[in-house]
Amino acid sequence: KAEKHLEAAIPALEAAEQALNQIKPADIATLKKLAKPPNLIMRIMDGVLILRNMEVLKTQQDPDKAPQHLPVPSWKGAQKMMNDTAFLNSLLTFPKDEITDETVELLQPYFDMDDFTFEAAKKVSGNVAGLCSWCIAMGTYHNIAKEVEPLREK
Amino acid sequence: MSIKDALKKFEQKSQEKAAEATHIKLWFQDPPIERLDAALKQCVNCERLSLSTNNIERISNLQGLDKLKILSLARNCLKKVEGLDAVASTLEELWLSYNNIERLQPITVCPKLKVVCLGNNNITSLAEVEKLAALGELEEVVLKNNPFMDGMSEQEYRFAVIKAIPQLKKLDGRPIEPDEKEQALA
């Protein structure tokens, strides 16, 4: 029964993997050079930083989005992360069973934003929108795996 | 935003009463919450209180949260662990990653703590981490990205923490296997 339940996460995981495979190293090379990429792209990269337990900035009003408050994106940290040539591969092999409840709660504000979707990201960034699908799939996987765990133990 | 207003918003959105809800979601308010106040005491049924991604500077006013098991204050502006006495007898998980915490000492007033998250803080010495060993029920900690691990390899870091808190089952979300524990304690 537990296994069947976990199958519910598979389509999201497969979609995420496919989306990651669409991203070419050249896409990342272009992206990381941008001094000021679209705000949505910077927020998606914040999601990636949080999933990897890497540093992000404190919550402060984002001058770009005033008067609406958004966490100011940690673009410099994201650029540094993308300098690693193994960046894309590290996402494909990401240890998704090590995601914690706390991490998923930290992603929640991003998931709650209306434009945090593959479609919206695709419009502003092309292939790197796959990173958005990846963040969402990691959250979905964790939540389903958590429900399944007690069933497995039985 | 004040706690009172944030709770009002939560009630509208979730269609639950703050006095009845078991999981109260106040993460990332616009504008961010800056302080915890006495309005929290109406959350008498709350088991999980989510206050992450705000600008809270101190832990206070937890009186009346008699059922609280999970307190999430990740990604705020906390400098120390404090104000936990009111929930010490029930608290099982404390999520404090992405703050500026340097010292942990009063954390040991909560004997039931199973999970403590402290990634991306300002813990500069392993001696501070060793204080967590006094928590007999502790199973999981997150400590990734604290200054005390600067200059350590990933392996040295894991061994040091496992040695400091031998009862641990998971570190940074990764289970501690018997082999790893044996090597760490050797």
Side-chain angles (χ1 to χ4, degrees):
Chain A
K1 192 182 172 191
E3 301 309 321
K4 209 161 193 182
H5 205 72
L6 200 54
E7 276 172 21
I10 291 175
L13 290 175
E14 282 177 349
E17 190 169 327
Q18 250 177 25
L20 285 179
N21 279 323
Q22 304 272 313
I23 308 173
K24 302 284 166 278
D27 297 326
I28 297 295
T30 311
L31 177 64
K32 77 180 182 204
K33 280 186 210 135
L34 298 178
K36 218 169 189 274
N39 190 283
L40 172 58
I41 299 309
M42 294 195 284
R43 275 182 275 138
I44 292 170
M45 294 312 294
D46 275 12
V48 179
L49 288 166
I50 288 170
L51 273 158
R52 305 180 83 192
N53 290 318
M54 292 166 86
E55 204 176 331
V56 287
L57 300 174
K58 296 285 161 205
T59 320
Q60 17 175 339
Q61 188 167 348
D62 186 343
D64 273 4
K65 290 277 166 178
Q68 188 199 3
H69 288 72
L70 288 171
V72 172
S74 312
W75 183 238
K76 284 210 171 112
Q79 284 176 308
K80 226 164 107 188
M81 173 169 70
M82 287 185 283
N83 277 336
D84 178 0
T85 49
F87 171 63
L88 281 172
N89 201 43
S90 73
L91 301 186
L92 283 165
T93 58
F94 186 76
K96 56 186 182 302
D97 287 306
E98 296 173 15
I99 298 170
T100 64
D101 293 345
E102 183 196 42
T103 297
V104 177
E105 185 176 304
L106 285 167
L107 291 171
Q108 208 61 55
Y110 298 90
F111 293 166
D112 290 347
M113 293 169 197
D114 292 336
D115 62 351
F116 203 87
T117 64
F118 176 79
E119 289 72 26
K122 184 92 189 166
K123 275 186 202 147
V124 292
S125 79
N127 288 341
V128 293
L131 296 173
C132 183
S133 305
W134 182 77
C135 288
I136 294 169
M138 291 299 117
T140 307
Y141 174 81
H142 174 80
N143 288 335
I144 294 176
K146 197 184 142 186
E147 277 178 48
V148 168
E149 210 176 330
L151 298 174
R152 271 188 171 164
E153 279 166 13
K154 271 183 205 168
Chain B
M1 182 174 302
S2 71
I3 294 287
K4 192 177 149 204
D5 290 342
L7 284 173
K8 231 185 264 168
K9 256 180 70 185
F10 165 74
E11 288 186 332
Q12 277 164 5
K13 204 176 160 196
S14 68
Q15 299 290 316
E16 283 181 278
K17 290 259 179 286
E20 286 161 14
T22 53
H23 181 188
I24 293 186
K25 300 167 185 172
L26 306 180
W27 58 60
F28 186 51
Q29 297 298 303
D30 178 18
I33 297 171
E34 290 179 354
R35 51 184 297 270
L36 302 180
D37 61 52
L40 276 178
K41 68 168 183 268
Q42 59 185 294
C43 308
V44 288
N45 257 311
C46 184
E47 293 175 12
R48 173 170 167 187
L49 179 58
S50 294
L51 289 158
S52 55
T53 315
N54 280 294
N55 277 339
I56 298 163
E57 291 185 2
R58 304 190 62 160
I59 310 177
S60 61
N61 286 301
L62 299 178
Q63 293 78 12
L65 295 161
D66 291 339
K67 296 188 178 170
L68 195 68
K69 285 188 186 153
I70 305 176
L71 176 60
S72 168
L73 281 158
R75 206 177 180 188
N76 275 285
C77 307
L78 303 175
K79 293 192 185 73
K80 51 183 172 179
V81 180
E82 60 186 335
L84 294 173
D85 304 70
V87 293
S89 62
T90 56
L91 200 66
E92 293 176 9
E93 303 199 15
L94 184 56
W95 304 351
L96 299 173
S97 293
Y98 294 99
N99 279 288
N100 304 315
I101 295 167
E102 214 171 311
R103 303 206 183 282
L104 307 179
Q105 186 47 54
I107 210 169
T108 48
V109 302
C110 303
K112 287 190 172 165
L113 277 176
K114 277 194 192 125
V115 177
V116 175
C117 302
L118 287 159
N120 286 282
N121 271 286
N122 199 22
I123 303 168
T124 52
S125 88
L126 193 61
E128 215 46 49
V129 176
E130 281 165 5
K131 291 175 182 164
L132 295 172
L135 294 165
E137 308 279 313
L138 193 64
E139 293 179 358
E140 297 184 38
V141 295
V142 173
L143 284 166
K144 201 106 195 178
N145 277 347
N146 272 286
F148 79 87
M149 56 192 280
D150 289 353
M152 290 185 194
S153 68
E154 173 75 16
Q155 174 120 90
E156 286 167 341
Y157 154 70
R158 282 186 70 88
F159 282 2
V161 175
I162 294 166
K163 216 171 163 177
I165 319 170
Q167 67 269 43
L168 274 194
K169 292 183 177 161
K170 261 186 192 178
L171 171 57
D172 299 330
R174 183 177 306 168
I176 295 163
E177 306 295 346
D179 274 8
E180 189 182 17
K181 188 167 173 177
E182 208 174 291
Q183 285 181 50
L185 300 180

